[in-house]
């Protein structure tokens, strides 16, 4: 692991250390980067995870666009990079983007980074990349760390097909609707979530998707990295016993059971009709969903449809 490098920030800002980077006390020169926008991945926690190409790029561009210059400066200071840091985030993007695009068209080499991981993955930058593409500006992909892939690799969930679905909504109703929209996707689902809301999120997962396997991965690449696995209810209970968890969280939900996907509406209807003789639509849906290992929202939709059809027939 590379040692932190004590570099005077004032010397970096003045440009004394430009076009160079330092690893383990050894200084390396960096050629000027090719003109264009360099979309550059940075570490998600452990600064030693930066790639050699990322260091060469950050040292070789004319400017680095950052979500938060204070965050990116920790990386550039560690590796002795003196490239100018410029803020580019949701609050100033519309104002500064035209000027950035003009500079790129004039031949500037500019890097775009996020606070952690790969830019554009739930971070600012999409409009800049999209408009740069429209203007014919050269785009360069500088790959590296991603919490999405890091979480997937230690989750133990199927990795042959997966879908990143961003952040879950804060409000319970919106969150459940969002989960219902993706419940039938035949892939591992990946979300970003906060430590403060993870228990509420798991409760919504359990209600909408039943007993599917989940993984709560947190503090990826850091000292306290871990993956909590089990059903949503089991993981929520484990977190509650701890009194909560801390850190950045990537939540992964296993795909729907293949056999459950093959269950057609006719089979569901038969079970629901029997249950509706003695239960409300809500209780019938919960009962059948558990019996057939199906998402409650799918069974509840069928229960409501059957109940409405039955009530309509009586009224006629």
């Amino acid at each position: 692991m590379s040692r932190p490098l004590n570099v005077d920030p004032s010397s970096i800002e003045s440009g004394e250390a430009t076009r160079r980077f330092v690893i383990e006390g050894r200084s390396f020169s960096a050629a000027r980067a090719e003109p264009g926008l360099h979309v550059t991945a940075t570490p998600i926690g452990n600064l030693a995870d930066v790639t050699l190409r990322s260091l060469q790029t950050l040292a070789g561009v004319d400017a680095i666009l950052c979500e938060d210059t204070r965050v990116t400066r920790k990386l550039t200071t560690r590796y002795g990079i003196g490239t100018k840091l410029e803020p580019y985030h949701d609050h100033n993007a519309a104002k500064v983007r035209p000027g950035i695009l003009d500079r790129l068209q004039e031949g500037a080499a500019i890097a775009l980074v996020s606070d952690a991981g790969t830019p554009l993955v739930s971070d600012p930058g999409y409009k800049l990349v999209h408009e740069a593409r429209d203007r014919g500006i050269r785009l360069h992909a500088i790959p590296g760390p991603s919490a999405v892939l890091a979480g997937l690799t230690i989750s133990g969930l199927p990795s042959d097909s997966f879908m990143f679905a961003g952040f879950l909504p804060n409000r319970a109703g919106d969150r459940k609707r969002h989960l219902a929209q993706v419940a039938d996707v035949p892939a591992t689902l990946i979300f970003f979530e906060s430590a403060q809301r993870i228990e509420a999120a798991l409760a919504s997962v359990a209600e909408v998707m039943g007993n599917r396997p989940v993984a709560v991965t947190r503090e990826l690449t850091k000292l306290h990295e871990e993956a909590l696995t089990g059903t949503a209810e089991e993981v929520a209970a484990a977190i509650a016993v701890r009194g909560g968890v801390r850190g950045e969280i990537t939540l992964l939900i296993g795909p729907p059971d293949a056999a459950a996907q093959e269950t057609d509406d006719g089979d569901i209807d038969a079970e629901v009709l029997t249950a509706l003789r003695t239960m409300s639509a809500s209780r019938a849906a919960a009962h059948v969903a558990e019996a057939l290992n199906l998402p409650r929202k799918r069974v509840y939709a069928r229960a409501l449809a059957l109940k409405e059809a039955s009530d309509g027939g009586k009224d006629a």
Side-chain angles (χ1 to χ4, degrees), residues 75-211:
L75 178 67
T76 56
T77 299
R78 166 112 174 218
Y79 291 102
I81 295 171
T83 308
K84 182 181 179 182
L85 306 181
E86 300 180 9
Y88 182 80
H89 45 68
D90 286 334
H91 302 294
N92 76 341
K95 180 179 179 180
V96 303
R97 187 163 54 245
I100 293 169
L101 292 167
D102 289 343
R103 289 158 60 191
L104 288 167
Q105 284 196 305
E106 292 167 1
I110 298 177
L112 172 68
V113 302
S114 67
D115 282 348
T118 301
L120 277 69
V121 181
S122 285
D123 290 318
Y126 166 73
K127 290 183 179 179
L128 178 62
V129 170
H130 181 74
E131 292 182 27
R133 173 74 64 188
D134 284 348
R135 289 201 191 192
I137 294 167
R138 178 79 184 275
L139 297 171
H140 307 268
I142 316 298
S146 167
V148 173
L149 295 179
L152 183 64
T153 58
I154 66 169
S155 69
L157 297 174
S159 57
D160 56 333
S161 180
F162 58 91
M163 172 183 170
F164 174 65
F167 285 90
L168 283 170
N170 294 341
R171 299 177 62 179
D174 294 337
R175 184 167 57 241
K176 292 174 188 177
R177 279 189 289 274
H178 186 60
L179 288 168
Q181 290 173 353
V182 297
D184 294 329
V185 174
T188 294
L189 303 175
I190 305 175
F191 300 91
F192 289 157
E193 188 52 275
S194 74
Q196 293 73 27
R197 293 194 303 267
I198 187 60
E199 290 180 75
L202 289 170
S204 295
V205 171
E207 182 174 345
V208 175
M209 298 182 177
N211 60 350

